[in-house]
Amino acid sequence: MSSTSPAPLDSSPYLLAARGERPPHTPVWFMRQAGRALPEYRAAREGTTMLESCMRPDLVVEITLQPVRRYGVDAAIYFSDIVAPLKFAGYDVEIKPGVGPVVADPIRDAAGVAAVRPVTPSDVPYTTESVQQLVSELGGTPLIGFAGAPFTVASYLVEGGPSKDFAKTKAMMHGNPELWHALADRLADVAIAYLSVQVEAGASAIQLFDSWAGGLSPRDYERFVQPHSAKVFDAIASYGVPRVHFGVNTGELLGLMSAAGADVVGVDWRVPLDEAVRRITAAGAGPKPVQGNLDPALLFAGWDAIEPEIDRILEEGKAAPGHIFNLGHGVPPDADPEVLARVAKYVRSKSTARPVVGAE
Ligand code: 1CP
């Protein structure tokens, strides 16, 4: 990380794989790699709320670097949250420990939508400062910037907090489509603004999290969500950084999410990566690099169960033009950091086994 001659970022395994090439080893990082699974994270965060800590460059830099040091992963992800830019722009949202994002006054009408506005760089000097400092400290390890996709962020604002069925959000989509589209359009602008600040400060790639999109039918996704996520991807395209799109339980949506404009498609553990590549290709937008997809539950199953799963995933990942190894969703808070370190080391020890020299 702080070696005297850091590898140029462009030849980092993460960025090569994200661009559809085969680096010497399959790159690995973990969604939610910073966080409660790490004792050093709990120590750093003590006495500071989640969203306050996102406004402190000293904490953001330290917490972002912790998993890179601990696991030797091939990418860092900027420490923030999908609702952070709303808070930074003055919106009344909190992150309740053990629960997640909550809003006191869920959005029900046009006045509620009008209260949502994008951050501007002057709202978030700490974001710019944190990203710049991270990029310089990370050397040849890329920093991933991220934002929440319009649907997933809207689900918190409309439901008032985490939800299992998204009943109020779906009711708004179908019962008042105009209001829904106005809200989703504003949230697309929020994501565009927050991603732009991160990329302009030096982030090498972006990931748009639509974690809960899998709760929607393909028909609803296409009508109510895809145009807004596509707006985000289009707006970021000119930066030329890889754009990754991820959601949980999105097997039926992989083609549509890819077609929204992703360069790399994140896959959860339910669909094997080779099948995911088939679905992405069948949608007419692929083949594309994929990211995933070890079931986080396997982290608790013992190494004898984990190793063959990693081997299988690496094999299936060869169907894609590039493969970034990850979990199928975030690191569970009670995961053992030693196991994650072993997963990262094992993935990095395996060659990608496909000759690249002279290949088209
Ligand atoms: O006090 C704490 O430690 C709070 C736990 C926590 C953390 C560490 C929350 C609350 N957010 C975060 C950081 C975070 N959130 C990161 C950066 C760290 C990293 O990845 O290493 C990222 C990328 C997120 C993104 C995020 N927040 C998503 C998308 C990714 C995913 O896991 O699906 C979502 C859905 C959220 C909402 C959210 N924020 C926090 C929680 C507990 C939740 C989920 C709540 C729910 O179940 O609905």
Side-chain angles (χ1 to χ4, degrees):
M1 204 163 61
S2 56
S3 77
T4 44
S5 55
L9 267 176
D10 279 344
S11 62
S12 69
Y14 171 89
L15 287 176
L16 285 176
R19 298 207 153 99
E21 293 173 46
R22 287 274 154 186
H25 71 260
T26 302
V28 49
W29 71 281
F30 304 116
M31 289 184 280
R32 300 269 191 108
Q33 61 190 13
R36 284 170 299 168
L38 289 178
E40 58 268 37
Y41 168 82
R42 296 195 294 268
R45 273 279 323 277
E46 213 178 323
T48 315
T49 70
M50 172 68 201
L51 289 171
E52 273 166 20
S53 58
C54 296
M55 298 185 207
R56 286 202 17 207
D58 59 330
L59 286 180
V60 171
V61 170
E62 167 58 19
I63 292 170
T64 302
L65 294 177
Q66 283 174 349
V68 181
R69 291 185 200 119
R70 171 78 88 137
Y71 303 134
V73 279
D74 292 285
I77 183 158
Y78 178 62
F79 181 74
S80 184
D81 191 79
I82 58 169
V83 297
L86 295 169
K87 178 74 175 182
F88 301 158
Y91 197 83
D92 188 6
V93 55
E94 297 300 333
I95 291 183
K96 217 167 152 185
V99 177
V102 290
V103 297
D105 196 8
I107 295 180
R108 293 283 174 268
D109 52 25
V113 172
V116 174
R117 70 167 182 90
V119 286
T120 62
S122 61
D123 290 323
V124 286
Y126 34 85
T127 301
T128 301
E129 185 185 335
S130 305
V131 171
Q132 285 172 344
Q133 201 178 323
L134 277 165
V135 169
S136 103
E137 297 217 13
L138 282 161
T141 303
L143 177 71
I144 305 167
F146 78 91
F151 170 72
T152 291
V153 176
S155 76
Y156 291 102
L157 303 187
V158 176
E159 305 290 335
S163 165
K164 288 204 170 15
D165 54 11
F166 312 106
K168 296 188 180 77
T169 315
K170 291 180 182 180
M172 183 190 285
M173 280 177 180
H174 286 272
N176 193 344
E178 260 177 49
L179 187 64
W180 164 259
H181 285 297
L183 173 60
D185 186 60
R186 286 209 171 215
L187 291 173
D189 289 339
V190 170
I192 292 165
Y194 198 45
L195 292 170
S196 300
V197 169
Q198 294 172 70
V199 176
E200 281 175 21
S204 296
I206 63 97
Q207 181 155 332
L208 188 67
F209 283 97
D210 210 352
S211 300
W212 313 134
L216 298 169
S217 67
R219 197 184 147 79
D220 283 359
Y221 178 85
E222 198 171 3
R223 179 172 165 205
F224 294 115
V225 174
Q226 194 192 39
H228 303 290
S229 297
K231 177 180 171 181
V232 179
F233 285 121
D234 282 353
I236 299 302
S238 60
Y239 289 117
V241 300
R243 297 159 300 169
V244 187
H245 203 15
F246 169 79
V248 188
N249 218 341
T250 51
E252 300 301 323
L253 304 179
L254 288 172
L256 292 169
M257 290 179 74
S258 167
D263 301 307
V264 179
V265 180
V267 184
D268 85 357
W269 62 93
R270 293 172 178 87
V271 179
L273 293 180
D274 50 355
E275 172 60 19
V277 172
R278 269 191 291 279
R279 293 183 190 190
I280 293 161
T281 308
K288 290 184 180 180
V290 290
Q291 175 173 276
N293 67 348
L294 181 69
D295 187 339
L298 263 291
L299 297 172
F300 305 97
W303 188 254
D304 289 349
I306 297 171
E307 191 179 298
E309 281 291 288
I310 297 176
D311 290 340
R312 175 183 62 75
I313 291 163
L314 290 174
E315 216 32 56
E316 289 163 354
K318 288 179 187 162
H323 175 205
I324 298 162
F325 191 93
N326 207 310
L327 303 178
H329 194 194
V331 171
D334 52 347
D336 179 352
E338 301 287 325
V339 174
L340 286 156
R342 195 166 174 186
V343 171
K345 193 170 169 202
Y346 184 73
V347 172
R348 289 167 53 93
S349 75
K350 306 281 276 190
S351 106
T352 52
R354 184 197 267 185
V356 276
V357 183
E360 246 314 291

